[in-house]
Amino acid sequence: MNSSPDPAPNPHATAEQVKAAFDDPKLANVLYHDWEAGTYDEKWSISYDERCISYATGVFNAVAGEAGQPYPTAMELGSGTGFFLLNLMQGGVIKKGSVTDLSPGMVQVALRNAEKLGLDVDGRVADAERIPYPDNSFDLVVGHAVLHHIPDVQAAFREVLRVLKPGGRFVFAGEPTKIGDFYARKLGQFTWWLTTNVTKFGPLNGWRRPQEELDESSRAAALEAVVDIHTFDPSELERMAAGAGAVGVKAATEEFAAALAGWPIRTFEAAVPQEKLTVRWRLFAYHLWLRLSALDKKVLSKVLPRELFYNVMITGRKPDAPAGP
């Protein structure tokens, strides 16, 4: 394992660094996610309570099933603040975890979250194409909204299979489909433009974030065009994982109606002062998402092509070790 010290977070990238990052997707990912680390959980309404525990375990079980739980050891690739791994640990899916991310700021926040929750977690700054753990280290590798940030996804799949124990499983969720990303991005862009312009005037001015914050958000958000490298067709993603050597590969999709409402809501929440978002508002947004997610699962998933849904999830296993002589 690489024993060199992890680099320090850089949450305030300069204009020059941002400019350089447009030609370097990995630098862009570090700068963008270091900038987001401190407010990421709040921005995306991430919590470590029953709400997100239920969501994380539900997503995991929907694609991978409950067999094999609890997994003794697991690593999250591109962990961010630890949302997926930590909530799966709290839900009894995983015993001991490791967080990895290209962003030092995200690793720092994830480890802090784990400590607050009393969970057995270590962490490393890590490039998904060169994971700093030995062969056959983990029973499970998970990730949430990470594959679309990685330049060489198939190389990452090969690395995931390398660090998995024979027969070990991977589960990746929260990846954007080609069609879903198109409508989500357009909805987000329109909502940001509308909110930041309407709040310039009259009584709505109190809903406007300080211009410095909006400028910094716009500058960092410009890097989304660089950090969001891929969108996926579910069948293509299955072929990619199988091509890296995985067996038992299966993809599934979720969120259509929930995404059509969720993206404008999340963008609006990012564009206004946080103190304006009351508990009543957050409960409304959450229960609306629950109702629309139920509609997606019970009705729309049965009649619409899986390519139309926003999120794709995928699972597979490392082949079992060959039998001895």
Side-chain angles (χ1 to χ4, degrees), residues 1 60 68-77 82 84-100 111 114 118-124 133 137-142 163-165 169:
M1 186 191 303
F60 185 96
Q69 299 180 21
Y71 292 84
T73 59
M75 180 194 73
E76 183 170 8
L77 194 69
F84 203 35
L85 180 84
L86 302 186
N87 280 312
L88 289 175
M89 291 181 74
Q90 292 192 102
V93 176
I94 297 161
K95 288 186 176 180
K96 177 175 170 49
S98 298
V99 291
T100 66
L111 290 174
L119 298 174
D120 187 5
V121 175
D122 58 47
R124 292 299 311 274
Y133 287 94
S137 293
F138 301 100
D139 301 285
L140 173 70
V141 172
V142 298
V163 301
L164 278 172
K165 297 175 183 178
R169 178 174 295 280

Side-chain angles (χ1 to χ4, degrees), residues 220-303:
L223 288 175
E224 285 184 340
V226 185
V227 303
D228 292 343
I229 302 172
H230 307 288
T231 55
F232 300 104
D233 175 89
S235 297
E236 290 175 354
L237 190 59
E238 288 172 331
R239 289 193 290 270
M240 200 177 297
V247 297
V249 176
K250 179 182 71 172
T253 55
E254 64 171 2
E255 291 198 16
F256 178 68
L260 291 175
W263 275 95
I265 287 172
R266 284 190 289 263
T267 306
F268 169 76
E269 290 175 343
V272 303
Q274 290 302 301
E275 61 269 17
K276 294 292 186 180
L277 303 176
T278 62
V279 172
R280 185 176 179 180
W281 164 265
R282 294 187 186 279
L283 286 173
F284 158 76
Y286 174 55
H287 288 294
L288 176 62
W289 179 84
L290 282 179
R291 287 194 292 272
L292 294 177
S293 292
L295 174 66
D296 288 333
K297 292 174 184 175
K298 295 176 181 178
V299 180
L300 298 183
S301 64
K302 294 177 172 59
V303 297

Side-chain angles (χ1 to χ4, degrees), residues 46-178:
I46 289 172
S47 62
Y48 301 91
D49 54 17
E50 187 55 40
R51 178 175 66 90
C52 282
I53 293 170
S54 296
Y55 172 79
T57 55
V59 166
F60 185 96
N61 292 337
V63 69
E66 298 184 33
Q69 299 180 21
Y71 292 84
T73 59
M75 180 194 73
E76 183 170 8
L77 194 69
S79 63
T81 58
F83 156 74
F84 203 35
L85 180 84
L86 302 186
N87 280 312
L88 289 175
M89 291 181 74
Q90 292 192 102
V93 176
I94 297 161
K95 288 186 176 180
K96 177 175 170 49
S98 298
V99 291
T100 66
D101 201 287
L102 196 60
S103 159
M106 288 293 190
V107 173
Q108 190 177 83
V109 174
L111 290 174
R112 188 163 64 237
N113 285 340
E115 184 178 6
K116 288 178 182 176
L117 295 168
L119 298 174
D120 187 5
V121 175
D122 58 47
R124 292 299 311 274
V125 174
D127 185 332
E129 297 170 17
R130 294 186 297 276
I131 300 171
Y133 287 94
D135 297 358
N136 308 320
S137 293
F138 301 100
D139 301 285
L140 173 70
V141 172
V142 298
H144 193 279
V146 58
L147 296 179
H148 67 284
H149 293 311
I150 301 170
D152 190 338
V153 176
Q154 197 156 50
F157 272 127
R158 288 194 294 268
E159 276 291 274
V160 166
L161 293 170
R162 180 184 65 78
V163 301
L164 278 172
K165 297 175 183 178
R169 178 174 295 280
F170 63 81
V171 174
F172 291 98
E175 299 297 338
T177 63
K178 291 184 182 297

